[in-house]
Amino acid sequence: MQTLSDESRRFLEDLTLYLLASGKNEQATQDIVTELEDHLQEAEADGKSVAAITGDSPAAYIQSIASEMTTDYRESVWLLLQILAGVFSFLLFQDLLDGPLSYSLYFLVGFTVLISSLLIVLSRCLRYSATHTSSKRPILLFGLSTGVIFLLLMGLFLTDPQITSPTIHFSWLTSSIVGLSAFLLIGYSAYRAKTWVLPLGLLAYLLPQFFLRYQLNWSALSAVGVGYVCATVLMTALFFYETTSKKTNQT
């Protein structure tokens, strides 16, 4: 089978990124990308370029395809819940090391709103980068938004003890069930996504802490620092390994 040009591969990557970031169904997206890949191969075999399929504006063509597709709200909500669970899991399991869980309504709502806002900004930045060549705007926008949301998260942690709000207290049994349910959800999400970066990173974050705190009597702060470094190194290595493996399999 003929190998696609760099321009065609870039177009297909941008199309996939834009559609998924717009909440389109993953299988429907893959079907369209596969169909267009066949058309591009035929066009290039006849000596034509991407413009023969997309016209003068690949960005407009991508947006027109997205407008004709139905947004998969069910899949989008499921993805949002998976991401929230993944982000919250580090905090949840960290709290489990210190005792039964306890969260205020103020914290839970604030955390959900801020992380959801970050994901919305990320979605818009990804769509923008997929339809604009060599633009630094989405990187700057996402960096600025991430900084603001990070500061708001720190404010949420600091103000939580000062704000009077209904608080949910869990027993040890309930806390254990919540923790087990969260880990199973993370494992199931990793299985569906075919990536084990998050669950392995979570284990790399927690296991050193457990050993250092309860076997060597380290302070909680020192143990958290070691766990953070272990998780960061492992997750970064796994991410690059999986990315490289996917590119190798595609060639």
Side-chain angles (χ1 to χ4, degrees):
M1 183 177 292
Q2 179 180 340
T3 302
L4 287 175
S5 65
D6 291 340
E7 183 183 10
S8 294
R9 284 201 302 269
R10 174 61 188 273
F11 167 74
L12 293 176
E13 290 171 358
D14 289 341
L15 174 62
T16 302
L17 179 63
Y18 189 94
L19 294 180
L20 293 179
S22 301
K24 308 306 179 183
N25 181 269
E26 184 176 357
Q27 185 58 54
T29 296
Q30 186 57 50
D31 291 342
I32 288 177
V33 170
T34 300
E35 181 181 351
L36 281 173
E37 183 178 6
D38 293 337
H39 290 326
L40 286 170
Q41 287 177 339
E42 293 174 1
E44 290 186 357
D46 293 335
K48 300 176 182 178
S49 66
V50 176
I53 303 295
T54 66
D56 295 331
S57 176
Y61 186 76
I62 289 175
Q63 291 169 339
S64 68
I65 291 178
S67 65
E68 295 173 359
M69 295 177 65
T70 302
T71 300
D72 192 339
Y73 292 104
R74 181 179 178 181
E75 186 69 19
S76 298
V77 171
W78 171 244
L79 179 61
L80 175 61
L81 291 176
Q82 287 178 295
I83 295 174
L84 285 173
V87 175
F88 190 70
S89 63
F90 283 86
L91 174 64
L92 184 146
F93 286 103
Q94 181 67 59
D95 290 341
L96 277 174
L97 290 177
D98 298 322
L101 300 174
S102 177
Y103 297 109
S104 69
L105 183 62
Y106 166 76
F107 177 83
L108 292 176
V109 172
F111 185 88
T112 302
V113 169
L114 289 176
I115 297 300
S116 299
S117 300
L118 181 62
L119 294 177
I120 291 173
V121 172
L122 175 60
S123 173
R124 291 184 178 277
C125 289
L126 290 175
R127 282 184 285 172
Y128 187 92
S129 65
T131 52
H132 294 76
T133 305
S134 302
S135 175
K136 296 182 179 179
R137 180 179 176 182
I139 298 176
L140 295 175
L141 176 60
F142 185 66
L144 178 61
S145 302
T146 301
V148 172
I149 292 176
F150 178 78
L151 291 176
L152 291 175
L153 279 172
M154 292 300 99
L156 181 66
F157 279 99
L158 293 174
T159 58
D160 182 37
Q162 316 300 326
I163 301 296
T164 302
S165 173
T167 302
I168 305 173
H169 298 281
F170 298 89
S171 66
W172 262 119
L173 177 60
T174 307
S175 297
S176 301
I177 293 174
V178 170
L180 177 61
S181 300
F183 195 79
L184 290 176
L185 175 60
I186 292 169
Y188 176 70
S189 301
Y191 173 76
R192 286 192 58 184
K194 295 181 176 58
T195 173
W196 298 95
V197 172
L198 181 58
L200 292 178
L202 184 59
L203 288 175
Y205 178 71
L206 296 171
L207 292 180
Q209 286 194 63
F210 184 83
F211 177 77
L212 293 174
R213 291 180 61 178
Y214 299 109
Q215 299 299 321
L216 301 181
N217 295 320
W218 281 36
S219 68
L221 183 60
S222 299
V224 167
V226 172
Y228 175 80
V229 172
C230 291
T232 301
V233 171
L234 180 62
M235 293 176 73
T236 302
L238 286 173
F239 174 78
F240 282 108
Y241 171 77
E242 291 186 357
T243 303
T244 303
S245 298
K246 289 179 180 178
K247 288 182 178 180
T248 302
N249 293 333
Q250 290 173 355
T251 57

